[in-house]
Each structure stands twice: as structure tokens, then as C-alpha cells.
Amino acid sequence: MVQIAAAAVSNGYISGFLNGTIYQGSLKQFCVPGLNCYSCPGALGSCPIGALQAVLGSPGKHFSFYVIGFLMMVGALAGRFACGWLCPFGLLQELIYKIPGLRKGKSLPGHRFLKYFKYLILGVLVLALPLIFTDLAGQGTPWFCKLICPAGTLEGGWTLTLFDPRLREAMGWLFTWKSFLLLLLLFLSLVSYRPFCKYLCPLGAVYGLFNPVSCLRLEVKKERCTDCGACEAVCPMSLNPAENPGSPECIRCGKCISACKFGALSQTVLPGGLQFRKKKEQGAQNLRKES
């Protein structure tokens, strides 16, 4: 329900869906936490990955203080919480995964290596290529949006072509390629949990880097953990939360917390966690003194 509400808020420009237009008001100056295409008729804000590429590729402007600051703020506060709770394309993958019929698995074969591919996409397509390959005017290309982004294809490409026959006439190989990629990801979402989030999303790669140090974090109380494996069994991201609660792959979904019968796992905010540990250490010191 939280994901649905977040998607509705991010795409609340109803007139855009009715008329096939794109909202261009003042709210578009601000980024939203999830992967939500700027060109979606209902989008009220900007996608941080698209905005970052736009600035990196702009003549004379190769660093976006706002977008970098926004990504750092979201990541430092909550890590990949935005992936698990606020991203519209993550919501779509989850809903498709719930469709019965095909045999379900958490991850694709080769998950151990494929999970690093999103960092390659972040480094090459999002950061490097818009800076390196520019036209005569010094303008770079948003390569990730142009070649891969399935959220852009679905929310912007497919939606706008339904309204504008001129866009349908202009469709070429690039639209065909991105449509194929989107359909492939949607099919993989039937048999694997959030394949785009796990293997391709550069936004998740950015937020994941902050998971070990974010204010909102998963905490393990080792004295309560029995190594029963219940948290690992339910984790949709193929993790062992008890062993690595700060993993860059964790989307803070909370399923491991619900599965733990011994209360060994909890979501904590850093100041509270520090205070808890401090009190615990003080209590231990007092016990030692009394003994």
C-alpha cells in the first residue's frame, strides 16, 4: 500500500494522462526518490538518474550539486529503503511476481556475478559516457535513459505513443530495442523477484553504497540469533540478513524481521541504535562492578 501511494503521489498529474501531455511546472525542478521517468504524463518530479545525466551532458556543466546532494541525502538517511518502498518500477515488478502460474525463484542463474552489473551501468552509461562522448555543441547523451531504462520506455515511451500518432510514425530500431528489453524484464519478473532492481538499476546501485552507513539500518542482536536461517529463507533479495545486515543489496523490505521468531532483527535509526548500545555497554559495566 505504501508503494502504491508513493507511485500515485509521484504521478499525480491526472491531466497529463487525459491529454497525453507532460507536466512542466515548478515541481519538475525537484527529484523523486524512485525511478520515475520525467516523460511520464503524470510525473510531477524528475528522475534523479535522468536529471544527473542531463547535467553531466550539458555544455559547461559537468557536476550537479543538487542531484548529487539529493542522492547522498536519501542514501545517507535510508539506504535502499526507497527501492523497497517508494519506487514505482519496483512496485510493478513485485505485482508481476505475484501472478501465479510459473515456477518462482528469488534470483536468476549467475546472481552472484550479475548483481554487480548495475555498478558497471552506473559507472559507464550514467557517469562516464555523457561526459566523454559529446556532440559539436558539447552536449552529451543520457545513455542509460536512451538505451536501457525500462521505466522510461513504459511510463514515457509507450504511454506517449498511445496519444500522439506522430510519435508512432517516428518509432525506429531504438524504440523496438527498448520495448524488447522492457518485455524481457517483465517476463523475468514473473519468475524472479525484481530482476531489474537486482541487476540493472543504477539508482539502486547508488543507494546501496550507503546501506552500511545509513541512519535507517537493519540491526542484528547476536545474543538472540539462533542461526535458524528463517531470515535467509524469506529474503527476496537472496541475502542472509543475520550475517550481513548492511548489504548493499538489502531493500529494507522487512520480511526478515517478520520471519524472525526470536526478535533478533529490527529496523533502527542510527541515533537510537547508538543510544541502545551505549546503555547496553553501561549496563554490562555496572554488572561487572557489582560482581
Side-chain angles (χ1 to χ4, degrees):
M1 297 304 296
V2 173
Q3 292 183 79
I4 292 173
V9 171
S10 299
N11 298 282
Y13 185 60
I14 305 301
S15 178
F17 288 114
L18 296 176
N19 302 315
T21 57
I22 299 176
Y23 171 75
Q24 298 181 359
S26 57
L27 289 177
K28 268 290 175 69
Q29 301 175 62
F30 303 100
C31 291
V32 295
L35 198 73
N36 197 80
C37 186
Y38 179 100
S39 297
C40 177
L44 293 172
S46 295
C47 170
I49 294 297
L52 179 61
Q53 291 178 101
V55 176
L56 291 177
S58 298
K61 297 180 180 179
H62 299 312
F63 190 87
S64 174
F65 289 94
Y66 167 69
V67 180
I68 296 295
F70 176 83
L71 292 172
M72 292 178 65
M73 178 189 71
V74 175
L77 288 176
R80 289 194 73 178
F81 176 88
C83 301
W85 294 84
L86 304 176
C87 181
F89 199 71
L91 166 64
L92 175 64
Q93 292 174 87
E94 285 209 17
L95 293 177
I96 292 176
Y97 186 72
K98 292 178 181 294
I99 298 175
L102 296 178
R103 184 178 179 181
K104 307 290 183 179
K106 291 182 183 179
S107 303
L108 296 177
H111 167 78
R112 180 181 176 184
F113 304 101
L114 289 175
K115 65 183 180 181
Y116 297 109
F117 196 65
K118 57 182 173 288
Y119 297 100
L120 180 65
I121 290 176
L122 173 64
V124 176
L125 294 183
V126 175
L127 299 177
L129 292 186
L131 289 170
I132 297 173
F133 294 98
T134 59
D135 57 22
L136 295 177
Q139 182 73 43
T141 300
W143 290 99
F144 172 74
C145 295
K146 182 177 181 178
L147 296 178
I148 293 181
C149 186
T153 306
L154 176 65
E155 298 172 352
W158 283 11
T159 307
L160 291 175
T161 53
L162 290 175
F163 292 100
D164 195 335
R166 294 172 298 178
L167 290 177
R168 293 196 292 271
E169 294 174 0
M171 291 188 303
W173 70 268
L174 188 58
F175 185 85
T176 303
W177 156 250
K178 292 193 66 179
S179 295
F180 166 76
L181 184 59
L182 172 60
L183 291 172
L184 176 61
L185 286 169
L186 295 180
F187 171 75
L188 291 177
S189 297
L190 280 170
V191 296
S192 173
Y193 184 84
R194 287 188 178 224
F196 176 74
C197 303
K198 286 181 177 177
Y199 309 124
L200 299 178
C201 184
L203 186 58
V206 174
Y207 291 152
L209 296 175
F210 291 90
N211 259 7
V213 296
S214 65
C215 293
L216 179 68
R217 59 179 60 187
L218 185 65
E219 185 175 88
V220 181
K221 299 177 178 65
K222 292 294 186 181
E223 69 278 8
R224 296 186 181 182
C225 181
T226 62
D227 294 320
C228 66
C231 58
E232 183 177 9
V234 300
C235 178
M237 300 301 286
S238 300
L239 301 173
N240 186 340
E243 287 188 0
N244 189 9
S247 170
E249 304 303 313
C250 176
I251 59 173
R252 303 292 193 253
C253 67
K255 292 182 179 180
C256 58
I257 298 174
S258 300
C260 183
K261 299 179 181 180
F262 305 98
L265 295 169
S266 61
Q267 292 271 29
T268 62
V269 179
L270 179 57
L274 285 176
Q275 185 179 14
F276 172 79
R277 285 192 289 271
K278 185 177 180 181
K279 288 182 177 180
K280 183 179 177 182
E281 291 170 0
Q282 288 175 347
Q285 290 175 0
N286 293 335
L287 286 175
R288 285 195 294 270
K289 289 179 181 179
E290 291 175 1
S291 62

